[in-house]
Structure formats: C-alpha cells, structure tokens
Amino acid sequence: MSSRTPLKSNMHEAVSAWFLGPRAENFGLLQELFETTLKSQDGVRNAYSDRYQDPKFITSEMQVSASFKDSEEKLRAEFGKVLDLLNRYSIPFFSPRYAGHMCMEMSLPSIVGWVSTIMFNPNNVAFEASPITTVIELEVGRQLCEMLGYTDPNSWGHLPSDGTIANLESMWAARNLKFYPLALRAAMEDGQALDFIASTFKVFTCANPYDAVLLKDVSTWDLLNFRVEETLGMGDRIREQYGVSAEFLDAALEPFIIQSTGKDALITKFGIEEQPQYLVSSTKHYSWPKSAAILGIGRDNCVNVPVDENARVGIDHLREKLEERFKKQQAVYAVVAIIGSTEEGAVDPLTDILALRKEFQAKGMSFVVHADAAWGGYFASMIREKPLLRAPRGGSSDDPDPDMSFVPSVALRESTVKQFEALQHVDSITIDPHKAGYIPYPAGGLCYRDGRMRYLLTWTAPYLHDASESIGSYGVEGSKPGAPSVACYLHHQVIGLHKEGHGALLGQVSFTCRRISAEWAAMSDAFTPYIVVPFNPLVQEPNPEKVEEEKQLIREHILGKENQDVVADEWAMEELRQLGSDLNINAFTCNFRIDGKPNEDVEEANYLNNRIFDRLSVTSPGESPFEINLFLSATVFAVKDYGDCVQAYKQRLGLETDSEQDLFVLRNVVMSPFQSAGDFLSTIAKAFKDVLEEEVANVIQRNTLSPQRHTFTMQGTDKIYLVYRPLFRKANGRFQLILSAQIANAVQRAAYTKARAQHPSAVYTLATEENVLLSQIEATGTFTADITGKGLNLSGVEISGVQIVKNRPLNSRWRDPVYPRDVPFYLYGTPGEQHIDHMLLRAPNAQLSADRVKLQLDKPLALEELRRGVILTLDRREVPMQPFSDSNPPSFFHPGAKFAVAVYHDPHDADAHGPGLASVDGVAPLSTGTLEIGSDVYIDYKNLNKEDFTDDNRIIKNYTSAKAPGEIKALWKDVVLEGLAA
C-alpha cells in the first residue's frame, strides 16, 4: 500500500464489527457469543459426568432449600452493589469522548476468548495444568515474533502479565548473557568439569570476528563483550564439538553461572572494577530503574541518556555515553530503544542505535539492543502484508459510505516505518497486547530474536532444548492465567496482524490522532486570550507569520470537514502526515495572554493546565463520569528528564526558562476508531474549548493586578512596621512586602500603643479601608486603613510616611530552586525595637513574623542597616522541615524560643528579585549572638500557599503532578466502601 493511499473505505465497516460499540451497537452479537460460552459449559460438564455416570451433586431439592435461596439472593445482592458501583463510577473507555490514557474497550474476539477460557481457569505456569493454553501462548508468541519482524524459526515469545515484567525479564536475560562467558571460563579452570576443553575451545572476540582464539586466553574485557550470537552459540558448539550431554554441560556450569553465584562473586573473581550499566532514554518507563534494583544492577547503573527536542533519545548523547564507557572499559549490558513512549508517542531512532552498536563492536565493545515496544509494538502490523491464503475481511461494495462509516487510514511516516523495519535486528522486544492490542488485562509480551536467550533465565545453558518445557521456567511469574493467551490468539486470528487487519485499525486511529492534532494546532491565534501549542511542532515553525498562515489553512482545509473531503484534499492529507507524534499520542500545553502579552510564569501555566485536566478527568470524590463530556490525561515534563527538550517547548509556549521548572502537559491518546466518524471531532474540540475559555478567564483574573483590600501584620510601637500577608498564587498578593509607616492621628496612635502595652502577645491587623493597588500605596506614601486586634477596633486611620523596607516579588521564576540550608529572616527596626519576617524563597512555605525580638549580639547593628533591613539566619536547618503543613507545623517558631544567630548585610536593593536573595556563603557576618522570640508571633502556612481561588471546591494540590493526592484517594475509598455497604 502506498504511504499516500488510505485503505479502502469499507475497512471501517469491518473494524466496526470488532467492538461492542460506543452505544453497545453490537450487543446482540456479544450476547449470542456469551450464551454460546455458557451453553458450552453446560454441555462439557454434563458430557464428562455422563461418561462416568456421575450423580448430580447439586440436587433440585438443594436448590429450593432456604439456605440455598439465601446464598443465591446474597450473590444477587452483592453482585448488584458491585455492578452499580462499576456502572456509576467506571471511566467510559468505550466512548469516543474518552481520549485519556491508552485505554479503550477490548475487541469482541478478545473478550469472548478471555471469558470462554476463564471458565476453565487454566494455569500456564506448567504444561500439565494447561495443555491447550500453553500451546496457544506459544503460538501467540510466534505470531508476535512474525509481526515484529522475527522470521527465524528459533525466535520465541511468551506472555508475561505486563510490560514491567517483560522489561524485567529482558534485563534479567541481558545481565545473565553478559556474565555467561565468565562462568564458562571459570568452569574450564584446572580441576573443574570442563578443564578438558580449555586447550582447544576457541571463540571469536567482538573486535575480531574472523580469527578464533582460545577462550582461556581472552581478556576479561573481551569476555564481557562477545557479540550476542557468539555467546548464545557457545553451548551448542561445546555439545557438538566435544559430544557432551546437555545434563553434563548444565551440571558443569551450574556452580559458576550468575544464577547460582550472584553478580558480585563473578565481578570479584575477574577483577572487574567498573559495574556494567544499562543505557536508556531519560524519558524511560519507571519499570527500568525498578528492574535494575530488583536484579542487583542498581538504579544508578540504569543510566539516563538525554532526549532531543522531539523526545527521542539523542544519538549524539548516546554515542558520548558509550565512548565514555569504552574508554574506561566499563561494560554495557544493553541499550534500550523506546518504540512508542507512553507520554509523547515518540519512536526512538532504532536504526541509528543499531548502527552505533556496529560502530562500537568494531572497536571491541558489544551489548544487547532491546526495544521497549510495550506501547508501540502493535503498530508493526501497519507495515505487514496480508497473508495471501487468508480470506479477505470486509465487503467489496462500491456503494458510497454513509457519514459515520468512513474513517480512512493514514500510514506511518517513512522515518517511523524504518524504525519498525529495524525491529528484526534487535535482540529482544517488549510488547503489550493489553495496550495497543485491545486485549483485556493482564497481557504483556516478550519476544527474543534468538529463542536461546530464554534459557539464560534458568539454570541451564543457552543451547537448543526440547521445546516441551513449561513456559513458567522462562519467566518471573509462577501461576499465570491462560485466558490472556486465548484472548490474544482469537483477536489475532479474527482480525489479523497485517495492514488490512489490526494495521487498518491502528491506521484509522493514526488518522484520527492527526486530525485531533490539527484541532490543537489551529485552536488559538495571535489574538486569542489563550494559547494552545502541540508538543510536536507545526511544519512552519519557528517562523511566527508562516505559522499563523499554516493555522489558517488548517482551519480552511481540515477543521470541521468530513473525512471524505479531507482525503480528497491533497494539501490537507500532506499536512496531516506531518502533524502529531510518531504514533497516536498528542501532547499539548495551554498558556494565556494578558493584554495581548503571553504569560511567562511557568507555575501559572501549570495551574491552568492542571485545572483543565482536573475538569476533564475523574478526580473529585464521588464524581460521576456522566458529568464529564471529554476525558484527557496529563503528564509532567520534568527538567531532569527532558532537559533541553522541555526548555525548548517552554520557549514555544512563551514561558521563561531561567527557573528550570517542570512543565505540566496535557495529552490525548487515540485508541477509538470512532472519534473522527462523521463530524464528531468538532464535538470533541468544542468540549475542550469551552473548558479552556472558562479556565483561561479564571487564570487571567488571578494574574491581573486589580484594586483590592490589602492586609498587614503590625509590628512595633516607636515606629510602625507593616508586614504584608502575601499569596504565592495570586498576582495581587505575590509580594513579600515590609513597610515602615506612622499613624498620623495622635489619638489613634496612642490608642494603638496602649492596646499593644495591655496585650503584648496579641496580633494586630491593619487592612486598607478601600480597594487599592499596592503600587498606589508605595507611590503616594499614604492611605486610609482599619486596625483590629484585642481591645482595639479603629477605622478611618490615616497611615502616612510609608517607606519600603523590602519589596520582593514572589513569582515562581524568582524563587530559589531548593530551600535554604539555614532558616533565613529579614531583621529590621529601630535601636529600641527589632522585628523579623521569614524570607519566602521557595513555595510552599510559611510566613513567620515576630514583633520586638530580643537580640544579644557581639557587635551592635548600625542604624542604617536596621532601617533598610539585614539578613538573619538561625542555627536551624530549614531543608528537613519543609514543607510545613497541619501535620508538620513550624513548631520551632514560638514565643520564648531561643536560637544562635548570625546577621549579614543584605547587598540587594529593596525591590530586588531572586533567586539567591539569602545567599551568604563565604560572607563574613556583621554580628553573631542569640535571638529570643517575643510574645507577639504571626504564623501562616495556609493562606500563603492557597492554590485555588475558584468556588467550585475542586482540589488542586500540586501543579506539577497528574497524580491524585492522598486525601482524594481516601475520599474515593469512602465512596466505594459506602456503596458496597449499602
């Protein structure tokens, strides 16, 4: 099929027969298949019992007894409760409105395969417990191998429960492979079982695959760097060359293999100074460091390789990592290529990785190449031809399709096709049928190009064995269900792992993904108050004028158009081929403009996207999925993982990059072949746009400076100091502001002084009488206020002589990347009264203010230093105390608390911004001594850190996390338990 030619239109009709359907349109078919399954159970059970003339064990008399009826009724009741909870709260993966995670309803063949098998409950750990499903699992493994490009009859695959287990097993095999030649060499030493072959057994080293040398003479470095095929062939060659039995070879090696001795024993024996390592993209799945920890390799030896701006592994970075290890002779277990990243749908340049292996093999360094295709593996079906002997699927009618029956297919990009074609050359592949294979959980997959690799997970040598062994010998799991194997098999047989089967399904999904990407790409323009930027750049980027022209063409040629019109439009199809990710995930992020200027604050962009995600996902306890008309998912591009990639993306969004904050990113994952049917994409786009416009209005409001009442904590009596009560997440309060001032009216001033003397431990609050801007107060130096506190309630108080002591912005870009080591404060006041306010350098934090502290210093502070404010640090570490909360309050800060302190000159202007405002490293203090906190203390870690100012009661706890916070999970637990107890 040409890369420019969509599959025949009636393919969508065939695809539509493979699922129950968004409105259960194929209910009758599934009901028929379920009834067939149950009737077959009735038939097989009675047939077996009739053969031996067994009696009925559950008699009709028992079935009408009170006890039986009670149990029957309890089953119905408890089943009803669970079914009600599932129906009310389950996420509607079946709907085209669901575009969140890689979830969709399972295919009909897989459902009936799973259900029909679970009635027998076979255990695929051992052949005798599952003779049918073990054979079927091996057949499914063969099917997967073929689809992925493994044509050698010795390739082998099986179905672990998921990709995490598959990745663990692949790492287990690569680790054992690396140490197998060392074990063989140890077994050949004098006095050992294989010493008789030491003088004659030759091998080909990695650097010289043409001239054989004795294994006993090979260096440790060369032992660690045999090519995969050379290591795997050693056992067979020994058996053939020396006529030894399999049992003898296994017994000879058993005391020395890593499975017996452990890795450290072999490392010590052979004097290996540098631990071997795994190299994998920095955007890797969490299962890789987890597997490294389990296998004793260690997380730190699972080394991140930086990604490029498209979130694919950076080949230049990989070459640097390999060269570093080659120079210091540090072996590499494997390099992992990600074929379909779960966050961005990116496909690593596998062809380049394989070329790098050849490059380093020529120098004497070899390693396994593993493809983590847990997500993307099934897309290989898009490049496989349909077998000639199989019956065609779908009809052959040339009648025009009705509106909902035409969803075309789009081919993979040529560059992506090359990576899938290269899969045939990697040593092992992870693939998850329960992801893009539309199979029920749990169903992972692991395939080996050379099936002998599986024997490395046993206590036998990697040579050709009798194929009748049980699958459980070659994996982590013990008991494992046979149902997933039958589900996979039936799906593969009915649908087919080729261009006109599963490939057609994923082709339609890919087409839809590109059309949705077009929606995100053209949703905003240079004048909208919102900005929507897909992660994958538009064709005309970075030219802003050309980009706007491209967006307008997308609106004219693609948005709102029927699929037939899009396919007939040459420009539209060419544009779609270039939009979106390598597979079927669209990552995108929103920003906003205020008065036409793009927001630069990363934290506020994260807030906006988190609010959108929160509304377009089920997060609030007891929230009905029926109330959500579109489902999206989200992820975080952490700077430590994405590096220059996320920094470049932030620039495209108009965000600052200096602070190196992580970025909260939205995602839509396309699994449904029905989303682009008719004009349903317009419905999806409108649902998103409605939420976007509402949330942008909210975020603009909280980031717009506007007149309001401002509140201060009052300090001092001989001179008044006003400590502003800030808010990290609202523009009007995003300042750490300390003012000095006077109460103009003598009577009011006296009333305030008297109240303070009578109630020295009370906190007194000053609030502006009218709505004003803080900048107005700073500019005029006067305003009218209300003062309240114990024994005092003054209104219409004229405040004059306002001067700025500190005015530090709290925008996220100006905060420190980490909490300070020692707790820092601003110290200010007069010779007779000094006050402190905790420096707010990072969020979340706590405002800790104390009035009239008692200082004992070895040197007095100059009047000018006190007037402008100095930096005071306590002999108390801040890092281990943060963040403060109800469960972890700043209890160290209380009246009467004493600390050793150091006082430093503040070199920054009053209105300076961070980061680094409290940095005093290498600076001599002005004075040292002790501080005792007075009786008047103000503490706030709630309002200061308030994250949301909307009135919808949704819980937004962390702008850079898509995970549900603990309190939400606890509330959901209450909802479920209440439903079960009803």
Side-chain angles (χ1 to χ4, degrees):
M1 183 183 71
S2 167
S3 63
R4 295 179 176 271
T5 305
L7 285 170
K8 56 187 179 181
S9 63
N10 62 13
M11 232 14 263
H12 186 61
E13 296 168 0
V15 169
S16 298
W18 299 340
F19 298 95
L20 178 57
R23 298 180 66 96
E25 292 89 341
N26 292 324
F27 176 82
L29 174 59
L30 184 59
Q31 183 179 40
E32 173 195 330
L33 296 171
F34 276 1
E35 288 176 353
T36 300
T37 297
L38 292 175
K39 288 177 180 177
S40 72
Q41 278 293 310
D42 178 71
V44 72
R45 293 177 186 226
N46 279 293
Y48 184 81
S49 297
D50 288 347
R51 181 180 182 88
Y52 299 102
Q53 298 183 339
D54 293 338
K56 281 195 172 183
F57 294 92
I58 303 174
T59 65
S60 56
E61 290 80 6
M62 294 167 64
Q63 290 176 314
V64 298
S65 69
S67 297
F68 188 98
K69 291 293 185 183
D70 288 344
S71 295
E72 194 176 55
E73 186 55 36
K74 185 175 183 180
L75 170 59
R76 291 193 179 97
E78 294 299 324
F79 174 63
K81 293 176 187 178
V82 171
L83 193 59
D84 179 60
L85 280 172
L86 289 170
N87 289 334
R88 276 198 289 160
Y89 296 121
S90 289
I91 309 301
F93 297 143
F94 52 78
S95 171
R97 292 179 180 272
Y98 184 83
H101 294 278
M102 46 194 73
C103 300
M104 201 260 193
E105 66 169 312
M106 300 81 68
S107 71
L108 289 179
S110 71
I111 291 173
V112 296
W114 199 95
V115 170
S116 60
T117 309
I118 203 66
M119 298 301 295
F120 294 98
N121 199 27
N123 184 351
N124 277 23
V125 70
F127 185 84
E128 61 271 16
S130 54
I132 304 300
T133 53
T134 291
V135 172
I136 288 177
E137 179 172 346
L138 292 172
E139 174 61 16
V140 169
R142 183 196 62 78
Q143 293 172 337
L144 292 174
C145 285
E146 283 188 3
M147 179 184 71
L148 295 168
Y150 287 167
T151 56
D152 191 310
N154 290 324
S155 62
W156 187 87
H158 81 120
L159 301 182
S161 61
D162 62 8
T164 293
I165 297 299
N167 285 341
L168 171 62
E169 290 181 2
S170 75
M171 183 178 276
W172 189 7
R175 184 200 69 170
N176 293 358
L177 180 81
K178 183 64 67 175
F179 286 98
Y180 178 76
L182 280 70
L184 182 56
R185 166 80 161 271
M188 292 167 52
E189 293 176 351
D190 289 345
Q192 302 302 332
L194 291 176
D195 60 358
F196 68 96
I197 72 170
S199 60
T200 55
F201 184 67
K202 292 185 176 183
V203 292
F204 294 96
T205 62
C206 178
N208 187 0
Y210 308 106
D211 299 319
V213 296
L214 290 173
L215 180 65
K216 72 179 183 66
D217 295 334
V218 171
S219 69
T220 298
W221 174 250
D222 285 336
L223 286 172
L224 289 168
N225 284 283
F226 283 112
R227 299 176 189 232
V228 172
E229 58 272 21
E230 180 68 16
T231 299
L232 292 177
M234 289 178 183
D236 285 318
R237 287 176 46 221
I238 290 172
R239 292 185 61 196
E240 293 167 4
Q241 188 172 340
Y242 300 99
V244 302
S245 68
E247 292 77 9
F248 175 82
L249 183 57
D250 291 343
L253 286 170
E254 193 272 336
F256 304 103
I257 58 174
I258 190 173
Q259 294 283 79
S260 301
T261 68
K263 172 175 63 71
D264 292 343
L266 287 168
I267 283 178
T268 301
K269 178 177 176 61
F270 285 88
I272 299 170
E273 296 180 358
E274 299 283 354
Q275 291 275 353
Q277 294 183 322
Y278 248 76
L279 301 184
V280 61
S281 162
S282 59
T283 60
K284 63 189 175 299
H285 190 260
Y286 63 83
S287 60
W288 288 108
K290 181 190 289 188
S291 298
I294 293 171
L295 291 169
I297 290 172
R299 182 202 63 184
D300 292 347
N301 289 313
C302 190
V303 179
N304 285 346
V305 181
V307 295
D308 63 19
E309 292 189 5
N310 294 302
R312 305 183 190 112
V313 70
I315 288 300
D316 290 340
H317 293 299
L318 178 58
R319 177 181 279 105
E320 289 174 6
K321 298 281 186 186
L322 289 169
E323 188 63 35
E324 288 172 7
R325 281 144 190 81
F326 175 73
K327 286 181 178 178
K328 62 181 179 179
Q329 294 213 326
Q330 182 175 23
V332 172
Y333 291 113
V335 171
V336 178
I338 299 174
I339 307 299
S341 57
T342 56
E343 307 302 325
E344 317 84 14
V347 173
D348 279 346
L350 179 57
T351 52
D352 293 337
I353 293 172
L354 290 165
L356 268 183
R357 177 163 71 171
K358 285 187 177 180
E359 176 185 325
F360 278 87
Q361 282 177 335
K363 297 194 288 186
M365 182 182 187
S366 188
F367 44 83
V368 164
V369 174
H370 175 80
D372 185 352
W375 174 232
Y378 269 87
F379 284 82
S381 62
M382 294 177 68
I383 67 170
R384 302 299 172 212
E385 297 297 337
K386 178 180 177 181
L388 296 177
L389 298 180
R390 296 193 179 175
R393 308 191 198 288
S396 58
S397 170
D398 294 323
D399 294 338
D401 296 305
D403 288 346
M404 302 302 290
S405 68
F406 180 59
V407 178
S409 178
V410 66
L412 296 170
R413 297 189 183 98
E414 289 184 10
S415 59
T416 307
V417 168
K418 289 180 181 178
Q419 312 318 316
F420 278 96
E421 289 174 340
L423 284 172
Q424 62 183 305
H425 301 299
V426 305
D427 301 297
S428 52
I429 303 173
T430 293
I431 181 171
D432 272 2
H434 65 213
K435 287 190 174 76
Y438 298 85
I439 305 298
Y441 294 103
L446 177 62
C447 297
Y448 297 112
R449 181 166 58 94
D450 188 327
R452 291 175 295 184
M453 278 191 80
R454 71 187 187 273
Y455 300 120
L456 292 163
L457 276 58
T458 68
W459 274 260
T460 60
Y463 51 78
L464 294 175
H465 287 59
D466 182 351
S468 64
E469 292 174 280
S470 297
I471 296 173
S473 303
Y474 310 121
V476 171
E477 296 162 302
S479 296
K480 53 184 290 189
S485 302
V486 180
C488 287
Y489 176 79
L490 204 54
H491 177 94
H492 294 173
Q493 287 296 106
V494 172
I495 293 173
L497 298 179
H498 50 73
K499 288 180 179 180
E500 296 187 43
H502 200 93
L505 167 60
L506 292 180
Q508 293 179 22
V509 161
S510 297
F511 175 82
T512 299
C513 185
R514 307 286 175 83
R515 287 211 60 177
I516 293 178
S517 181
E519 297 285 349
W520 307 145
M523 186 163 285
S524 60
D525 59 33
F527 304 100
T528 54
Y530 50 82
I531 301 169
V532 182
V533 179
F535 171 68
N536 299 100
L538 273 69
V539 176
Q540 298 298 333
E541 290 194 48
N543 187 316
E545 293 181 0
K546 292 288 186 181
V547 166
E548 289 304 317
E549 291 176 6
E550 182 180 359
K551 287 182 177 182
Q552 185 56 35
L553 288 170
I554 290 173
R555 297 181 191 111
E556 293 172 0
H557 289 261
I558 300 175
L559 303 193
K561 302 294 184 182
E562 295 284 343
N563 287 333
Q564 292 93 330
D565 297 330
V566 172
V567 170
D569 187 323
E570 185 176 345
W571 185 92
M573 288 302 292
E574 181 60 32
E575 180 75 1
L576 286 177
R577 274 186 281 273
Q578 298 180 76
L579 290 178
S581 70
D582 295 331
L583 299 179
N584 63 328
I585 296 176
N586 290 316
F588 64 104
T589 308
C590 304
N591 197 9
F592 58 95
R593 295 185 177 96
I594 296 180
D595 297 330
K597 182 181 178 182
N599 160 64
E600 296 183 355
D601 193 311
V602 178
E603 184 174 78
E604 289 305 299
N606 286 342
Y607 168 79
L608 169 63
N609 288 284
N610 205 320
R611 281 283 307 185
I612 294 170
F613 165 67
D614 189 66
R615 289 186 59 182
L616 298 180
S617 60
V618 172
T619 52
S620 298
E623 186 173 18
S624 171
F626 286 77
E627 302 302 317
I628 300 173
N629 64 355
L630 174 65
F631 290 82
L632 297 178
S633 58
T635 187
V636 174
F637 284 8
V639 172
K640 69 179 179 62
D641 295 327
Y642 286 81
D644 292 342
C645 173
V646 67
Q647 295 294 75
Y649 189 29
K650 284 190 283 190
Q651 288 178 333
R652 292 171 55 214
L653 284 157
L655 300 171
E656 58 86 14
T657 58
D658 294 339
S659 63
E660 297 191 349
Q661 296 179 71
D662 298 341
L663 185 68
F664 191 94
V665 177
L666 298 172
R667 286 188 317 169
N668 79 272
V669 181
V670 180
M671 291 285 288
S672 172
F674 306 113
Q675 281 174 336
S676 63
D679 190 29
F680 197 72
L681 281 183
S682 296
T683 301
I684 291 175
K686 183 180 185 305
F688 177 80
K689 190 175 180 180
D690 288 346
V691 172
L692 172 63
E693 289 176 339
E694 291 173 12
E695 292 305 328
V696 163
N698 164 41
V699 78
I700 288 175
Q701 181 181 25
R702 75 185 237 146
N703 282 281
T704 300
L705 291 171
S706 58
Q708 69 168 40
R709 294 195 71 189
H710 297 278
T711 305
F712 300 81
T713 299
M714 301 184 71
Q715 294 178 331
T717 54
D718 59 356
K719 186 172 187 178
I720 306 298
Y721 285 87
L722 304 177
V723 180
Y724 188 61
R725 296 180 182 175
L727 300 166
F728 276 123
R729 272 69 185 223
K730 198 169 186 180
N732 276 327
R734 205 174 283 144
F735 310 92
Q736 182 164 18
L737 177 64
I738 303 170
L739 304 174
S740 63
Q742 291 293 341
I743 299 175
N745 182 282
V747 175
Q748 292 175 327
R749 183 167 64 250
Y752 166 73
T753 303
K754 180 180 179 181
R756 292 298 309 270
Q758 291 176 339
H759 309 287
S761 62
V763 174
Y764 288 82
T765 301
L766 178 147
T768 58
E769 189 174 61
E770 299 177 349
N771 292 333
V772 295
L773 292 170
L774 282 174
S775 58
Q776 292 176 288
I777 294 174
E778 296 163 3
T780 62
T782 182
F783 64 97
T784 304
D786 298 331
I787 299 175
T788 57
K790 193 168 184 180
L792 187 67
N793 191 351
L794 299 176
S795 59
V797 179
E798 183 182 346
I799 303 298
S800 61
V802 174
Q803 293 183 332
I804 297 172
V805 179
K806 302 294 178 189
N807 183 16
R808 305 285 165 82
L810 299 179
N811 304 64
S812 66
R813 72 181 302 178
W814 307 132
R815 299 180 205 146
D816 287 3
V818 296
Y819 290 105
R821 187 188 66 175
D822 300 321
V823 184
F825 286 82
Y826 291 120
L827 170 67
Y828 47 90
T830 66
E833 294 181 341
Q834 295 92 47
H835 322 288
I836 59 173
D837 189 38
H838 180 223
M839 295 180 72
L840 303 175
L841 304 175
R842 182 170 172 78
N845 219 307
Q847 183 172 30
L848 309 172
S849 303
D851 173 80
R852 294 178 287 189
V853 298
K854 297 174 184 177
L855 280 171
Q856 295 291 330
L857 301 176
D858 60 357
K859 297 175 186 177
L861 296 175
L863 179 63
E864 177 62 16
E865 293 285 5
L866 282 173
R867 184 194 66 78
R868 68 186 302 276
V870 292
I871 296 172
L872 176 145
T873 60
L874 307 185
D875 65 338
R876 184 80 179 223
R877 294 295 172 94
E878 179 160 335
V879 174
M881 293 191 293
Q882 291 280 14
F884 297 116
S885 64
D886 284 342
S887 60
N888 180 43
S891 54
F892 76 97
F893 194 78
H894 59 83
K898 295 181 180 180
F899 304 94
V901 297
V903 180
Y904 299 87
H905 171 72
D906 186 351
H908 305 287
D909 293 337
D911 58 354
H913 63 72
L917 291 175
S919 177
V920 294
D921 290 344
V923 178
L926 298 172
S927 185
T928 60
T930 62
L931 174 145
E932 181 179 344
I933 296 177
S935 57
D936 179 1
V937 170
Y938 177 78
I939 299 174
D940 171 43
Y941 51 82
K942 292 185 177 179
N943 289 329
L944 170 66
N945 299 310
K946 187 175 180 181
E947 303 202 32
D948 215 330
F949 298 88
T950 57
D951 56 5
D952 57 10
N953 298 317
R954 303 188 75 88
I955 302 174
I956 303 290
K957 283 293 185 183
N958 188 337
Y959 299 167
T960 51
S961 175
K963 298 178 181 178
E967 66 182 274
I968 287 182
K969 293 178 181 178
L971 291 170
W972 264 110
K973 179 181 178 181
D974 293 341
V975 170
V976 174
L977 293 180
E978 181 180 335
L980 294 175

